[in-house]
Amino acid sequence: MQNRSFFGSIPPVTLNIIIVNFIVWLAALTLPKIAGIDLNYQLGLHYIEAADFNVIQLVTYMFLHDTSSIEHIFFNMFSVFMFGRTLEAVWGGKRFLFYYLTTGIGAGLVQEAAWYFELHSLIGPTVAQFGWEQTSMLLNQFTTVGASGAAFGILLAFGMLFPNAPLFIIFIPIPIKAKYFVIFYGLLELFFGISGSMSGVAHFAHLGGMLFGFFLIRYWKKKGIGGGFYY
């Protein structure tokens, strides 16, 4: 009988996503202390009109996490581990990686749109008072990091491919079908985003990951190139 290690049982793209995220998290945790480099600021996603915005941040931000605690990266990577390995087994590594990056970038774009609607009425008066250069510097405070958008995209995909798969949630003694779990989380994020509850969390980015994931999966199904669909 062949013995497979724990890491050997995780598909390669899923495993490498988890490893890279933890390596970057450790780098972001230690570099400010030893080299004065703040990776989360430099590579986190800034508002598009901010002085330090760079388009590459739409990719790099999803590999960064809050360094003040381990919970942020742990729960995101736990989601990648739980659902990503199944999706990679169905889609293959290349398609899964494309999906992961697309939903992460899509989440960033939706967050940018949310910032725009939140800030556009305030920017004009601020420019009139302080000038554009100072205003663009002030806008640097609007940043986000994390793989949550891609993680929510993965959750959405699992719910679409395996809608009746039972999921066991902490504190709930009965299994919940994946499709209902996804709908519940989507509505919850929409409520938090619109109401402004749980400020400091990029709820619209989470919704963006799900939105881009939904349309990508529907496109694949229409073209007949997304094997393994069960909905």
Side-chain angles (χ1 to χ4, degrees):
M1 181 181 295
Q2 185 178 4
N3 247 336
R4 297 185 69 188
S5 68
F6 172 75
F7 291 109
S9 67
I10 307 175
V13 173
T14 301
L15 179 61
N16 281 307
I17 286 173
I18 294 171
I19 290 173
V20 168
N21 273 271
F22 272 104
I23 289 174
V24 174
W25 182 79
L26 288 172
L29 181 67
T30 57
L31 282 176
K33 302 171 184 176
I34 64 176
I37 299 173
D38 188 345
L39 280 184
N40 277 12
Y41 182 83
Q42 293 182 3
L43 299 179
L45 181 61
H46 291 256
Y47 176 54
I48 193 168
E49 295 182 279
D52 292 336
F53 169 79
N54 189 310
V55 69
I56 194 64
Q57 294 166 357
L58 284 166
V59 176
T60 56
Y61 91 99
M62 74 178 82
F63 295 98
L64 296 157
H65 290 84
D66 180 14
T67 55
S68 63
S69 68
I70 198 171
E71 285 85 356
H72 189 206
I73 187 172
F74 174 80
F75 285 110
N76 278 343
M77 293 303 102
F78 182 71
S79 297
V80 172
F81 167 75
M82 287 296 295
F83 304 112
R85 52 185 177 157
T86 302
L87 297 178
E88 185 174 350
V90 172
W91 284 338
K94 289 182 179 180
R95 180 162 295 147
F96 173 64
L97 180 60
F98 179 82
Y99 180 87
Y100 183 86
L101 293 174
T102 299
T103 53
I105 293 170
L109 291 173
V110 171
Q111 183 58 43
E112 290 285 355
W115 276 331
Y116 175 80
F117 285 107
E118 177 185 352
L119 298 172
H120 78 280
S121 63
L122 304 174
I123 291 177
T126 306
V127 171
Q129 183 176 359
F130 298 106
W132 175 248
E133 184 175 351
Q134 183 64 26
T135 299
S136 65
M137 293 295 294
L138 291 171
L139 290 171
N140 281 327
Q141 66 184 294
F142 293 92
T143 63
T144 190
V145 295
S148 300
F152 270 81
I154 286 175
L155 175 62
L156 181 281
F158 185 87
M160 291 183 71
L161 269 67
F162 307 100
N164 297 315
L167 297 178
F168 290 88
I169 313 301
I170 299 174
F171 306 125
I172 300 179
I174 58 174
I176 299 175
K177 289 184 178 181
K179 58 185 176 183
Y180 298 131
F181 182 74
V182 169
I183 293 171
F184 169 76
Y185 252 99
L187 292 175
L188 192 65
E189 288 298 315
L190 182 61
F191 168 76
F192 285 146
I194 293 175
S195 67
S197 305
M198 293 183 66
S199 61
V201 178
H203 299 292
F204 286 108
H206 300 171
L207 288 169
M210 299 178 84
L211 184 67
F212 271 70
F214 175 81
F215 284 114
L216 181 56
I217 289 172
R218 296 296 296 180
Y219 174 78
W220 281 345
K221 184 188 180 189
K222 182 178 179 181
K223 295 296 184 180
I225 58 175
F229 295 99
Y230 292 89
Y231 65 93

